[in-house]
Coordinates of all heavy atoms in Angstrom, one line a residue:
M1 N 28.0 15.3 -9.1 CA 28.3 16.5 -8.3 C 27.0 17.2 -7.9 O 26.8 17.6 -6.8 CB 29.2 17.4 -9.1 CG 30.5 16.7 -9.5 SD 31.5 16.3 -8.0 CE 32.2 17.9 -7.7
A2 N 26.2 17.4 -8.9 CA 24.9 18.2 -8.6 C 24.1 17.4 -7.6 O 23.4 18.0 -6.8 CB 24.1 18.4 -9.9
S3 N 24.1 16.0 -7.7 CA 23.3 15.2 -6.8 C 23.8 15.4 -5.4 O 23.0 15.2 -4.4 CB 23.4 13.8 -7.2 OG 24.7 13.2 -6.9
K4 N 25.0 15.8 -5.2 CA 25.5 16.0 -3.8 C 25.5 17.5 -3.5 O 26.0 17.9 -2.4 CB 27.0 15.5 -3.7 CG 27.2 14.1 -4.1 CD 26.4 13.2 -3.1 CE 26.7 11.7 -3.5 NZ 25.9 10.8 -2.7
H5 N 24.8 18.3 -4.4 CA 24.7 19.7 -4.1 C 26.1 20.4 -3.9 O 26.2 21.4 -3.2 CB 23.8 20.0 -2.9 CG 22.5 19.4 -3.0 ND1 21.5 19.8 -3.9 CD2 22.0 18.3 -2.3 CE1 20.5 19.0 -3.7 NE2 20.7 18.1 -2.8
Y6 N 27.1 19.8 -4.6 CA 28.5 20.3 -4.5 C 29.0 20.5 -3.1 O 29.7 21.4 -2.8 CB 28.5 21.7 -5.3 CG 28.3 21.5 -6.8 CD1 27.0 21.6 -7.3 CD2 29.3 21.1 -7.6 CE1 26.7 21.4 -8.6 CE2 29.1 20.9 -9.0 CZ 27.8 21.0 -9.5 OH 27.5 20.8 -10.8
V7 N 28.5 19.6 -2.2 CA 29.0 19.6 -0.9 C 30.0 18.4 -0.7 O 29.7 17.3 -1.1 CB 27.9 19.5 0.1 CG1 28.4 19.3 1.6 CG2 26.9 20.7 0.0
C8 N 31.2 18.7 -0.1 CA 32.1 17.7 0.1 C 31.6 16.7 1.0 O 31.0 17.0 2.1 CB 33.4 18.3 0.7 SG 34.6 17.1 1.2
E9 N 31.7 15.4 0.7 CA 31.1 14.3 1.5 C 31.9 14.1 2.7 O 31.5 13.3 3.6 CB 31.0 13.0 0.7 CG 30.0 13.2 -0.5 CD 29.8 11.8 -1.2 OE1 29.8 10.8 -0.6 OE2 29.7 11.9 -2.4
R10 N 33.1 14.7 2.8 CA 34.0 14.4 4.0 C 34.0 15.6 5.0 O 34.0 15.3 6.2 CB 35.4 14.1 3.5 CG 35.4 12.9 2.5 CD 36.8 12.5 2.2 NE 36.7 11.4 1.3 CZ 37.7 10.6 1.0 NH1 38.9 10.8 1.5 NH2 37.6 9.6 0.1
C11 N 34.1 16.8 4.5 CA 34.2 17.9 5.4 C 33.1 18.9 5.3 O 33.0 19.9 6.1 CB 35.6 18.6 5.2 SG 35.7 19.6 3.7
G12 N 32.2 18.8 4.3 CA 31.1 19.7 4.1 C 31.5 20.9 3.4 O 30.6 21.8 3.3
G13 N 32.7 21.0 2.9 CA 33.1 22.2 2.1 C 32.6 22.2 0.7 O 31.8 21.3 0.4
L14 N 33.1 23.1 -0.1 CA 32.7 23.1 -1.5 C 33.4 22.0 -2.3 O 34.6 21.9 -2.4 CB 33.1 24.5 -2.1 CG 32.9 24.7 -3.6 CD1 31.4 24.6 -3.9 CD2 33.5 25.9 -4.1
A15 N 32.5 21.1 -2.8 CA 33.1 20.0 -3.6 C 33.4 20.5 -5.0 O 32.6 21.0 -5.7 CB 32.1 18.9 -3.6
E16 N 34.6 20.3 -5.4 CA 35.1 20.7 -6.7 C 35.5 19.5 -7.5 O 35.7 19.7 -8.7 CB 36.3 21.7 -6.5 CG 35.9 23.0 -5.8 CD 37.1 23.9 -5.8 OE1 37.4 24.5 -6.8 OE2 37.8 23.9 -4.7
I17 N 35.7 18.4 -6.9 CA 36.3 17.3 -7.6 C 35.4 16.0 -7.4 O 34.9 15.8 -6.3 CB 37.7 17.0 -7.1 CG1 38.6 18.2 -7.4 CG2 38.3 15.7 -7.6 CD1 40.0 18.2 -6.7
C18 N 35.3 15.3 -8.5 CA 34.6 14.0 -8.4 C 35.6 12.9 -8.3 O 36.3 12.6 -9.3 CB 33.7 13.9 -9.7 SG 32.7 12.4 -9.6
H19 N 35.8 12.4 -7.1 CA 36.8 11.4 -6.9 C 36.3 10.0 -7.2 O 35.1 9.7 -6.9 CB 37.3 11.5 -5.4 CG 38.1 10.3 -5.0 ND1 39.4 10.2 -5.5 CD2 37.9 9.3 -4.1 CE1 39.9 9.1 -5.0 NE2 39.1 8.5 -4.2
H20 N 37.1 9.2 -7.8 CA 36.8 7.8 -8.1 C 37.4 7.0 -6.9 O 38.6 7.0 -6.7 CB 37.3 7.3 -9.4 CG 36.7 7.9 -10.6 ND1 37.0 9.2 -11.1 CD2 35.7 7.5 -11.4 CE1 36.2 9.4 -12.1 NE2 35.4 8.4 -12.3
K21 N 36.5 6.3 -6.2 CA 37.0 5.5 -5.1 C 37.9 4.4 -5.6 O 38.9 4.1 -4.9 CB 35.8 4.9 -4.3 CG 35.0 6.0 -3.6 CD 33.7 5.4 -2.9 CE 32.9 6.5 -2.3 NZ 31.6 5.9 -1.8
T22 N 37.5 3.8 -6.6 CA 38.4 2.9 -7.3 C 39.2 3.7 -8.3 O 38.7 4.3 -9.2 CB 37.7 1.8 -8.1 OG1 36.9 1.0 -7.1 CG2 38.6 0.9 -8.8
Y23 N 40.5 3.8 -8.0 CA 41.3 4.6 -8.9 C 41.3 4.2 -10.3 O 41.3 3.0 -10.6 CB 42.8 4.6 -8.4 CG 43.0 5.2 -7.0 CD1 43.9 4.6 -6.1 CD2 42.3 6.3 -6.6 CE1 44.1 5.1 -4.9 CE2 42.5 6.9 -5.4 CZ 43.4 6.3 -4.5 OH 43.6 6.8 -3.3
I24 N 41.3 5.2 -11.2 CA 41.2 4.9 -12.6 C 42.6 4.5 -13.1 O 43.6 5.2 -12.8 CB 40.7 6.2 -13.4 CG1 39.4 6.7 -12.8 CG2 40.6 5.8 -14.9 CD1 38.3 5.6 -12.8
T25 N 42.7 3.4 -13.8 CA 44.0 2.9 -14.3 C 43.9 2.7 -15.8 O 42.7 2.7 -16.3 CB 44.3 1.6 -13.6 OG1 43.4 0.6 -14.1 CG2 44.3 1.7 -12.1
P26 N 45.0 2.6 -16.4 CA 44.9 2.3 -17.9 C 44.1 1.0 -18.2 O 43.5 0.9 -19.2 CB 46.4 2.1 -18.3 CG 47.1 2.9 -17.3 CD 46.3 2.8 -16.0
Q27 N 44.0 0.1 -17.2 CA 43.3 -1.1 -17.4 C 41.8 -1.0 -17.3 O 41.1 -1.7 -17.9 CB 43.8 -2.2 -16.4 CG 45.2 -2.8 -16.7 CD 46.3 -1.8 -16.4 OE1 46.2 -1.1 -15.4 NE2 47.3 -1.7 -17.2
N28 N 41.4 0.0 -16.5 CA 39.9 0.1 -16.2 C 39.3 1.3 -16.7 O 38.1 1.6 -16.6 CB 39.6 -0.1 -14.7 CG 40.1 1.0 -13.9 OD1 40.3 2.1 -14.4 ND2 40.1 0.8 -12.6
I29 N 40.1 2.2 -17.4 CA 39.6 3.5 -17.8 C 38.4 3.4 -18.8 O 37.6 4.3 -18.9 CB 40.7 4.4 -18.3 CG1 40.3 5.9 -18.3 CG2 41.2 4.0 -19.6 CD1 41.4 6.9 -18.4
H30 N 38.4 2.3 -19.5 CA 37.3 2.2 -20.5 C 36.1 1.4 -19.9 O 35.2 1.0 -20.6 CB 37.8 1.5 -21.8 CG 38.8 2.4 -22.5 ND1 38.5 3.7 -22.9 CD2 40.1 2.2 -22.8 CE1 39.6 4.2 -23.5 NE2 40.6 3.3 -23.4
D31 N 36.2 1.0 -18.6 CA 35.2 0.2 -18.0 C 34.2 1.2 -17.3 O 34.5 1.8 -16.3 CB 35.9 -0.7 -16.9 CG 34.8 -1.6 -16.2 OD1 33.6 -1.4 -16.4 OD2 35.3 -2.6 -15.5
S32 N 33.0 1.3 -17.9 CA 32.1 2.3 -17.4 C 31.6 2.0 -16.0 O 31.1 2.9 -15.3 CB 30.9 2.5 -18.4 OG 30.2 1.3 -18.5
S33 N 31.7 0.7 -15.6 CA 31.2 0.4 -14.3 C 32.2 0.9 -13.2 O 31.8 1.1 -12.1 CB 31.1 -1.2 -14.1 OG 32.4 -1.7 -14.1
V34 N 33.4 1.3 -13.7 CA 34.3 1.9 -12.7 C 34.3 3.4 -12.9 O 34.2 4.1 -11.9 CB 35.7 1.4 -13.0 CG1 36.7 2.2 -12.2 CG2 35.8 -0.1 -12.7
T35 N 34.4 3.9 -14.1 CA 34.5 5.3 -14.3 C 33.2 6.1 -14.2 O 33.2 7.3 -13.8 CB 35.1 5.6 -15.7 OG1 34.2 5.0 -16.7 CG2 36.5 5.0 -15.9
L36 N 32.1 5.4 -14.4 CA 30.8 6.1 -14.4 C 29.8 5.7 -13.3 O 28.8 6.2 -13.1 CB 30.1 6.0 -15.7 CG 30.8 6.6 -16.9 CD1 30.1 6.3 -18.2 CD2 31.1 8.1 -16.7
S37 N 30.2 4.6 -12.6 CA 29.3 4.1 -11.5 C 29.2 5.1 -10.4 O 30.1 5.6 -9.8 CB 29.9 2.8 -11.0 OG 29.2 2.4 -9.8
W38 N 27.9 5.3 -10.0 CA 27.6 6.3 -8.9 C 28.3 5.8 -7.6 O 28.8 6.6 -6.9 CB 26.1 6.4 -8.7 CG 25.5 7.3 -9.8 CD1 24.8 6.9 -10.8 CD2 25.6 8.7 -9.9 NE1 24.4 8.0 -11.6 CE2 24.8 9.1 -11.0 CE3 26.2 9.7 -9.1 CZ2 24.7 10.4 -11.4 CZ3 26.0 11.0 -9.5 CH2 25.3 11.4 -10.6
S39 N 28.3 4.5 -7.4 CA 28.8 4.0 -6.2 C 30.3 4.1 -6.1 O 30.9 4.0 -5.0 CB 28.4 2.5 -6.0 OG 29.0 1.7 -7.1
N40 N 30.9 4.4 -7.2 CA 32.4 4.6 -7.2 C 32.8 6.1 -7.2 O 34.0 6.4 -7.2 CB 33.0 4.0 -8.5 CG 34.5 3.9 -8.4 OD1 35.1 3.6 -7.4 ND2 35.1 4.2 -9.5
L41 N 31.8 7.0 -7.2 CA 32.1 8.4 -7.2 C 31.9 9.0 -5.8 O 31.0 8.6 -5.1 CB 31.2 9.1 -8.2 CG 31.3 8.6 -9.6 CD1 30.4 9.3 -10.5 CD2 32.7 8.7 -10.1
E42 N 32.7 10.0 -5.5 CA 32.5 10.7 -4.3 C 32.9 12.2 -4.5 O 33.9 12.5 -5.1 CB 33.6 10.1 -3.3 CG 33.4 10.7 -1.9 CD 34.3 10.0 -0.9 OE1 35.3 9.3 -1.3 OE2 34.1 10.1 0.3
A43 N 31.9 13.1 -4.2 CA 32.2 14.5 -4.3 C 33.0 15.0 -3.2 O 32.6 14.9 -2.0 CB 30.8 15.2 -4.4
V44 N 34.2 15.6 -3.5 CA 35.1 16.0 -2.4 C 35.6 17.4 -2.8 O 35.7 17.8 -4.0 CB 36.2 15.1 -2.2 CG1 35.7 13.7 -1.6 CG2 37.0 14.8 -3.5
C45 N 36.1 18.1 -1.8 CA 36.7 19.4 -2.0 C 38.2 19.1 -2.4 O 38.7 18.0 -2.2 CB 36.6 20.3 -0.8 SG 37.6 19.7 0.6
R46 N 38.9 20.1 -2.8 CA 40.3 19.9 -3.2 C 41.2 19.4 -2.0 O 42.0 18.5 -2.2 CB 40.9 21.3 -3.7 CG 40.4 21.7 -5.0 CD 41.0 23.0 -5.5 NE 40.3 23.5 -6.6 CZ 40.7 23.2 -7.9 NH1 41.7 22.4 -8.1 NH2 40.0 23.7 -8.9
T47 N 40.9 19.9 -0.9 CA 41.7 19.5 0.3 C 41.6 18.0 0.6 O 42.5 17.3 0.7 CB 41.3 20.3 1.5 OG1 41.5 21.7 1.2 CG2 42.2 20.0 2.7
C48 N 40.3 17.6 0.6 CA 40.1 16.2 0.9 C 40.6 15.3 -0.2 O 41.0 14.2 0.0 CB 38.6 15.9 1.2 SG 38.0 16.7 2.7
H49 N 40.5 15.8 -1.4 CA 41.0 15.0 -2.5 C 42.5 14.8 -2.5 O 43.0 13.8 -2.7 CB 40.5 15.7 -3.9 CG 40.8 14.8 -5.0 ND1 41.6 15.1 -6.1 CD2 40.2 13.6 -5.3 CE1 41.6 14.1 -6.9 NE2 40.8 13.2 -6.5
Q50 N 43.1 15.9 -2.1 CA 44.6 15.8 -1.9 C 44.9 14.8 -0.9 O 45.8 14.0 -1.0 CB 45.2 17.2 -1.5 CG 45.1 18.2 -2.7 CD 46.3 18.1 -3.6 OE1 47.4 17.7 -3.2 NE2 46.1 18.4 -4.9
H51 N 44.2 14.9 0.2 CA 44.5 13.9 1.3 C 44.3 12.5 0.9 O 45.0 11.6 1.2 CB 43.6 14.3 2.5 CG 44.0 15.5 3.3 ND1 43.2 16.0 4.3 CD2 45.1 16.3 3.2 CE1 43.8 17.1 4.8 NE2 44.9 17.3 4.1
E52 N 43.2 12.3 0.1 CA 42.9 11.0 -0.4 C 44.1 10.4 -1.2 O 44.4 9.2 -1.0 CB 41.6 11.0 -1.2 CG 41.3 9.7 -2.0 CD 41.0 8.6 -1.0 OE1 40.5 8.9 0.1 OE2 41.1 7.4 -1.4
H53 N 44.7 11.2 -2.0 CA 45.7 10.7 -2.9 C 47.1 10.8 -2.3 O 48.0 10.1 -2.8 CB 45.6 11.5 -4.2 CG 44.4 11.0 -5.0 ND1 44.4 9.8 -5.7 CD2 43.3 11.7 -5.3 CE1 43.2 9.7 -6.3 NE2 42.5 10.8 -6.1
Y54 N 47.3 11.7 -1.4 CA 48.7 12.0 -0.9 C 49.0 11.6 0.5 O 50.1 11.7 0.9 CB 49.0 13.4 -1.1 CG 49.1 13.8 -2.6 CD1 48.0 14.4 -3.2 CD2 50.3 13.6 -3.3 CE1 48.1 14.8 -4.6 CE2 50.3 14.0 -4.6 CZ 49.2 14.6 -5.3 OH 49.3 14.9 -6.6
S55 N 47.9 11.2 1.3 CA 48.1 11.0 2.7 C 49.0 9.8 3.0 O 50.0 10.0 3.7 CB 46.8 10.8 3.4 OG 46.1 9.7 2.8
N56 N 48.7 8.7 2.4 CA 49.5 7.5 2.8 C 50.7 7.3 1.8 O 51.8 7.1 2.2 CB 48.6 6.3 2.7 CG 47.5 6.4 3.8 OD1 47.7 6.9 4.9 ND2 46.3 6.0 3.4
T57 N 50.3 7.2 0.6 CA 51.4 7.0 -0.4 C 51.0 7.8 -1.7 O 49.9 8.0 -2.0 CB 51.5 5.5 -0.8 OG1 52.4 5.4 -1.9 CG2 50.2 4.9 -1.2
E58 N 52.0 8.3 -2.3 CA 51.7 9.1 -3.5 C 51.5 8.2 -4.7 O 51.1 8.6 -5.8 CB 52.9 10.0 -3.8 CG 53.1 11.1 -2.7 CD 54.1 12.1 -3.1 OE1 54.6 12.0 -4.2 OE2 54.4 13.0 -2.3
V59 N 51.7 6.9 -4.5 CA 51.6 6.0 -5.7 C 50.3 5.2 -5.5 O 50.1 4.5 -4.5 CB 52.8 5.0 -5.7 CG1 52.6 4.0 -6.9 CG2 54.1 5.8 -5.9
C60 N 49.4 5.4 -6.4 CA 48.1 4.6 -6.4 C 48.2 3.3 -7.2 O 47.7 2.3 -6.9 CB 47.0 5.5 -7.0 SG 46.8 7.0 -6.2
V61 N 49.0 3.4 -8.3 CA 49.1 2.3 -9.2 C 50.6 2.1 -9.5 O 51.3 3.1 -9.7 CB 48.3 2.6 -10.6 CG1 48.5 1.4 -11.5 CG2 46.9 2.9 -10.3
E62 N 51.0 0.9 -9.5 CA 52.4 0.7 -9.7 C 52.9 1.4 -11.0 O 52.3 1.1 -12.1 CB 52.7 -0.8 -9.8 CG 54.2 -1.0 -9.7 CD 54.5 -2.5 -9.5 OE1 53.5 -3.3 -9.2 OE2 55.7 -2.9 -9.5
G63 N 53.9 2.2 -11.0 CA 54.4 2.8 -12.2 C 53.7 4.1 -12.5 O 54.1 4.9 -13.4
L64 N 52.6 4.4 -11.8 CA 51.9 5.7 -12.0 C 51.8 6.5 -10.7 O 51.6 5.9 -9.7 CB 50.5 5.4 -12.6 CG 50.4 4.8 -14.0 CD1 49.0 4.5 -14.3 CD2 51.0 5.8 -15.0
T65 N 51.7 7.8 -10.9 CA 51.4 8.6 -9.7 C 50.7 9.8 -10.2 O 50.4 9.9 -11.3 CB 52.7 9.0 -9.0 OG1 52.4 9.7 -7.7 CG2 53.6 9.9 -9.8
F66 N 50.3 10.7 -9.2 CA 49.6 11.9 -9.6 C 50.5 13.1 -9.5 O 51.3 13.2 -8.6 CB 48.4 12.1 -8.7 CG 47.2 11.2 -8.9 CD1 47.1 10.0 -8.1 CD2 46.3 11.4 -9.9 CE1 46.0 9.2 -8.3 CE2 45.3 10.6 -10.1 CZ 45.1 9.5 -9.4
D67 N 50.4 14.0 -10.4 CA 51.1 15.3 -10.3 C 50.2 16.2 -9.5 O 49.1 15.8 -9.0 CB 51.5 15.8 -11.6 CG 50.3 16.3 -12.5 OD1 49.1 16.3 -11.9 OD2 50.5 16.5 -13.7
A68 N 50.6 17.4 -9.3 CA 49.9 18.4 -8.4 C 48.5 18.7 -9.0 O 47.7 19.2 -8.2 CB 50.7 19.6 -8.3
S69 N 48.3 18.5 -10.2 CA 47.0 18.8 -10.8 C 46.1 17.6 -10.8 O 44.9 17.7 -11.2 CB 47.2 19.2 -12.3 OG 48.1 20.3 -12.4
G70 N 46.5 16.4 -10.3 CA 45.7 15.3 -10.2 C 45.7 14.4 -11.4 O 44.9 13.5 -11.6
N71 N 46.7 14.7 -12.3 CA 46.8 13.9 -13.5 C 47.7 12.8 -13.3 O 48.7 12.9 -12.6 CB 47.3 14.8 -14.7 CG 46.4 15.9 -15.0 OD1 45.2 15.7 -15.2 ND2 46.9 17.1 -15.1
F72 N 47.5 11.7 -14.0 CA 48.4 10.6 -14.0 C 49.7 11.0 -14.7 O 49.7 11.6 -15.7 CB 47.9 9.4 -14.8 CG 46.9 8.5 -14.0 CD1 45.6 8.3 -14.5 CD2 47.3 8.0 -12.8 CE1 44.7 7.5 -13.7 CE2 46.4 7.2 -12.1 CZ 45.1 7.0 -12.5
V73 N 50.8 10.6 -14.0 CA 52.1 10.8 -14.6 C 52.8 9.5 -14.4 O 52.7 8.8 -13.4 CB 52.9 12.0 -14.1 CG1 52.3 13.3 -14.5 CG2 53.1 11.9 -12.6
R74 N 53.7 9.1 -15.3 CA 54.4 7.9 -15.2 C 55.7 8.2 -14.4 O 56.4 9.2 -14.6 CB 54.8 7.4 -16.6 CG 54.7 5.9 -16.8 CD 54.8 5.5 -18.2 NE 53.4 5.2 -18.8 CZ 52.7 4.1 -18.4 NH1 53.2 3.2 -17.6 NH2 51.6 3.9 -19.0
I75 N 56.0 7.3 -13.5 CA 57.2 7.5 -12.7 C 58.4 7.1 -13.6 O 58.4 6.1 -14.3 CB 57.2 6.5 -11.5 CG1 56.0 6.9 -10.6 CG2 58.5 6.6 -10.7 CD1 55.8 5.9 -9.4
P76 N 59.4 8.0 -13.6 CA 60.5 7.7 -14.5 C 61.2 6.4 -14.1 O 61.3 6.1 -12.9 CB 61.5 8.9 -14.2 CG 60.6 10.0 -13.6 CD 59.5 9.3 -12.9
P77 N 61.7 5.7 -15.0 CA 62.3 4.4 -14.7 C 63.5 4.7 -13.8 O 64.2 5.6 -13.9 CB 62.8 3.9 -16.1 CG 61.9 4.6 -17.1 CD 61.6 5.9 -16.5
G78 N 63.6 3.8 -12.8 CA 64.7 4.0 -11.8 C 64.3 4.7 -10.6 O 65.0 4.7 -9.6
A79 N 63.2 5.5 -10.7 CA 62.8 6.2 -9.5 C 62.2 5.2 -8.5 O 61.6 4.3 -8.9 CB 61.8 7.3 -9.9
P80 N 62.3 5.5 -7.2 CA 61.7 4.6 -6.2 C 60.2 4.6 -6.4 O 59.6 5.6 -6.6 CB 62.1 5.2 -4.9 CG 62.6 6.6 -5.2 CD 63.1 6.6 -6.6
S81 N 59.6 3.4 -6.4 CA 58.2 3.3 -6.7 C 57.3 3.4 -5.4 O 56.1 3.2 -5.5 CB 57.9 2.0 -7.5 OG 58.3 0.9 -6.7
S82 N 57.9 3.5 -4.2 CA 57.1 3.6 -3.0 C 57.8 4.3 -2.0 O 59.0 4.6 -2.1 CB 56.8 2.2 -2.5 OG 57.9 1.5 -2.2
Ligands
ZN1 ZN1 36.4 18.2 2.0
ZN2 ZN1 40.5 11.2 -6.7

């Protein structure tokens, strides 16, 4: 974040969130090449981060989605997954 001077890489606003271009999943969360790789990180503001995760589909990983705080939550069984 500091390397980007806290500037959103998309709109130039105040970057508050470090977005992982490759979404973090239970399978790769311990893989430092994904979670810590500079090339996988993008400094974005809240608005752009919301757009990234909510624009096309709310589901990034099958069976998982994000809540309003950007945390992973499990989709309840039986709920539509897409
Ligand atoms: Zn932005
Ligand atoms: Zn993100």
Side-chain angles (χ1 to χ4, degrees):
M1 297 296 279
S3 72
K4 304 298 182 185
H5 307 289
Y6 295 91
V7 173
C8 175
E9 295 186 38
R10 299 189 183 194
C11 74
L14 175 64
E16 297 182 78
I17 294 169
C18 188
H19 170 66
H20 291 81
K21 294 175 183 175
T22 299
Y23 294 141
I24 306 304
T25 69
Q27 285 73 38
N28 69 17
I29 195 165
H30 296 299
D31 183 348
S32 62
S33 70
V34 173
T35 57
L36 298 178
S37 170
W38 284 103
S39 62
N40 190 39
L41 301 178
E42 187 174 18
V44 293
C45 69
R46 286 180 192 272
T47 302
C48 292
H49 192 242
Q50 290 278 328
H51 286 173
E52 172 66 25
H53 286 287
Y54 291 96
S55 57
N56 298 320
T57 171
E58 294 188 4
V59 180
C60 303
V61 180
E62 192 169 354
L64 291 175
T65 187
F66 286 97
D67 66 13
S69 304
N71 297 311
F72 277 123
V73 291
R74 220 167 259 288
I75 298 172
S81 61
S82 65

